[in-house]
Amino acid sequence: MWHSPVPPRRAVAMSVSHSSRLNKLVREQYMRLPQDGKVQVTYVWIDGSGEGVRCKSRTLDKEPKSIEDVPEWNFDGSSTAQAEGSNSDMFLVPVCMFRDPFCLDPNKLVLCEVLKYNRKPAETNLRHTCKKVMDLVKDSHPWFGMEQEYTLLGINGHPYGWPDNGFPGPQGPYYCGVGADKVYGRDIVESHYKACLYAGVKICGTNAEVMPSQWEFQVGPCEGIEMGDHLWMARFILHRVCEDFGVVATLDPKPMTGNWNGAGCHTNYSTEEMRREGGLKHIEAAIEKLSKRHDYHICVYDPRGGRDNSRRLTGHHETSNIFEFSAGVANRGASIRIPRQVGQDGCGYFEDRRPAANCDPYAVTEAIMRTTVLNETGVETKDYAGH
């Protein structure tokens, strides 16, 4: 009896970029070629959106041993929403150097500040004032650790691994999950982790988050300006790793509407006196100061003055309400959470859960220092140019 052949199973089309399908073995052939003593330096900077990163590379005759060995450079600011075409040259000022996990030693990644033609900081160069504030409060030895949540998307903008039509099952099994039906994109996460370790970024952990295709990595503890430098480089490396895999990492604070968790950048913070015995009273004093300046912090905790966070801070899905300040021990629905262990020990740190995933870490850490150490109040900030 004749049977018709079984039709082949149709392959599931994954929405990945064309460039990710290029033959990587061919690329490796070239990457192994010697460099004849030359060094490739990739300059990285924040563009006019305040969220995106850009990069370009140049050759140096020898390996830079410190950031002072890396020369200033320039770029076309009219192509990054940072200048007019008639006066478009912007300066790249190297501030922090890392090993390059993509081109390998002795090549470097260099984070840069952006200055305008008149040597004044570009509008999205929030590092400039953050550095001034961190220098002022250096005797407090502020430590930060930031928890960067992000969501993996296909090139079509749909969460990676989600059904083409419909939704995955409700939240519950995905947080710190294991198994092909619970986590999507672990290869990307582990590659990013290793790349950060190689680069010298102070990454300290990672986990799958509550919404499927959403992940988190943590950077810290970092002191002062180092927090922003290391988180921005970790973000650059994440986008660059995702490029190799052909998917997109979004820092949108609420990438999916409905009954899905948003994405934040919870910020853990302490000063030296908070970390000492009896430090809980200093933690409580800092929280009291923050409670009186809630509106100011909300305005700087995302790039759009709080509009992005308004989609996330609803009082649901492990968030506080954007219009109310709250604090509590082990309370993930509060603006400020004091970890249970800190409450028991009587010293340590606290967690500000309000910053959005797409916040600028320079803005967040600067704001915390202005309020808790420099004792600023109200919505206006002081200019410390004379200090």
Side-chain angles (χ1 to χ4, degrees):
M1 184 176 180
W2 182 83
H3 295 278
S4 60
V6 177
R9 294 184 65 184
R10 186 169 64 89
V12 177
M14 293 187 294
S15 180
V16 297
S17 69
H18 289 288
S19 59
S20 68
R21 299 171 183 170
L22 295 173
N23 190 326
K24 302 301 181 183
L25 291 177
V26 174
R27 178 182 181 273
E28 282 305 306
Q29 173 184 337
Y30 296 100
M31 296 303 291
R32 287 194 296 267
L33 294 174
Q35 298 182 183
D36 194 28
K38 306 291 185 181
V39 176
Q40 182 178 328
V41 177
T42 299
Y43 289 59
V44 178
W45 71 95
I46 301 161
D47 69 15
S49 69
E51 299 178 70
V53 284
R54 307 286 180 115
C55 69
K56 66 175 186 172
S57 302
R58 70 185 297 179
T59 303
L60 299 185
D61 290 332
K62 60 181 180 179
E63 181 180 359
K65 299 301 181 184
S66 69
I67 197 66
E68 288 75 25
D69 295 334
V70 183
E72 287 190 15
W73 206 11
N74 57 71
F75 70 97
D76 171 18
S78 68
S79 297
T80 61
Q82 289 173 293
E84 298 293 329
S86 59
N87 191 10
S88 66
D89 278 3
M90 310 283 284
F91 294 105
L92 290 172
V93 181
V95 293
C96 197
M97 184 168 66
F98 300 84
R99 296 167 72 196
D100 187 338
F102 307 105
C103 298
L104 307 184
D105 289 337
N107 305 302
K108 306 296 181 186
L109 301 177
V110 173
L111 187 69
C112 300
E113 281 195 31
V114 176
L115 302 182
K116 296 188 284 191
Y117 71 95
N118 56 6
R119 305 289 298 184
K120 292 184 178 180
E123 282 71 14
T124 54
N125 177 0
L126 304 188
R127 186 185 191 275
H128 194 76
T129 56
C130 182
K131 180 68 164 60
K132 289 181 180 179
V133 167
M134 292 303 173
D135 287 345
L136 277 175
V137 301
K138 64 180 184 298
D139 291 341
S140 298
H141 297 287
W143 288 4
F144 300 95
M146 298 185 78
E147 306 171 20
Q148 178 68 68
E149 293 179 339
Y150 63 95
T151 307
L152 295 176
L153 307 176
I155 289 297
N156 59 1
H158 195 61
Y160 184 76
W162 284 33
D164 288 338
N165 298 300
F167 299 91
Q171 296 181 154
Y174 310 110
Y175 171 70
C176 296
V178 178
D181 59 339
K182 298 179 180 67
V183 295
Y184 311 112
R186 193 185 295 276
D187 286 349
I188 295 167
V189 174
E190 293 184 342
S191 298
H192 172 251
Y193 202 150
K194 283 293 185 79
C196 284
L197 289 174
Y198 181 94
V201 169
K202 291 188 175 181
I203 189 169
C204 59
T206 188
N207 59 268
E209 265 305 327
V210 176
M211 188 179 84
S213 299
Q214 193 176 83
W215 294 83
E216 172 184 298
F217 65 87
Q218 303 93 31
V219 173
C222 295
E223 185 166 335
I225 197 68
E226 186 181 57
M227 183 67 252
D229 291 347
H230 281 245
L231 187 60
W232 271 114
M233 186 52 69
R235 287 175 173 179
F236 170 79
I237 293 173
L238 175 65
H239 293 308
R240 182 64 182 75
V241 167
C242 284
E243 182 183 324
D244 283 345
F245 282 96
V247 301
V248 174
T250 178
L251 305 186
D252 189 287
K254 188 70 175 180
M256 296 300 291
T257 57
N259 197 25
W260 304 102
N261 274 34
C265 194
H266 302 154
T267 301
N268 302 281
Y269 160 65
S270 68
T271 59
E272 189 171 48
E273 60 185 10
M274 293 177 192
R275 298 188 290 270
R276 291 179 183 154
E277 185 176 349
L280 186 57
K281 67 176 181 291
H282 297 289
I283 290 173
E284 291 171 341
I287 293 172
E288 177 66 19
K289 295 173 186 177
L290 289 169
S291 72
K292 297 175 180 176
R293 216 180 186 205
H294 180 61
D295 291 346
Y296 161 71
H297 283 265
I298 288 297
C299 281
V300 299
Y301 279 7
D302 75 47
R304 292 171 184 82
R307 292 196 298 276
D308 278 348
N309 241 343
S310 67
R311 295 183 284 120
R312 167 181 160 260
L313 295 179
T314 60
H316 305 289
H317 306 108
E318 300 184 61
T319 70
S320 58
N321 188 301
I322 193 170
F323 300 110
E324 301 170 359
F325 181 90
S326 57
V329 175
N331 183 359
R332 283 178 162 76
S335 308
I336 305 292
R337 179 180 73 93
I338 300 174
R340 190 173 303 281
Q341 191 66 44
V342 172
Q344 293 172 358
D345 294 344
C347 62
Y349 68 98
F350 65 86
E351 175 190 48
D352 192 334
R353 296 178 60 80
R354 295 172 294 175
N358 62 344
C359 70
D360 189 319
Y362 297 129
V364 171
T365 56
E366 176 186 335
I368 290 172
M369 299 317 298
R370 283 179 178 274
T371 300
T372 65
V373 176
L374 297 177
N375 299 314
E376 290 186 12
T377 57
V379 295
E380 299 298 323
T381 58
K382 294 181 182 177
D383 183 2
Y384 300 101
H387 290 265

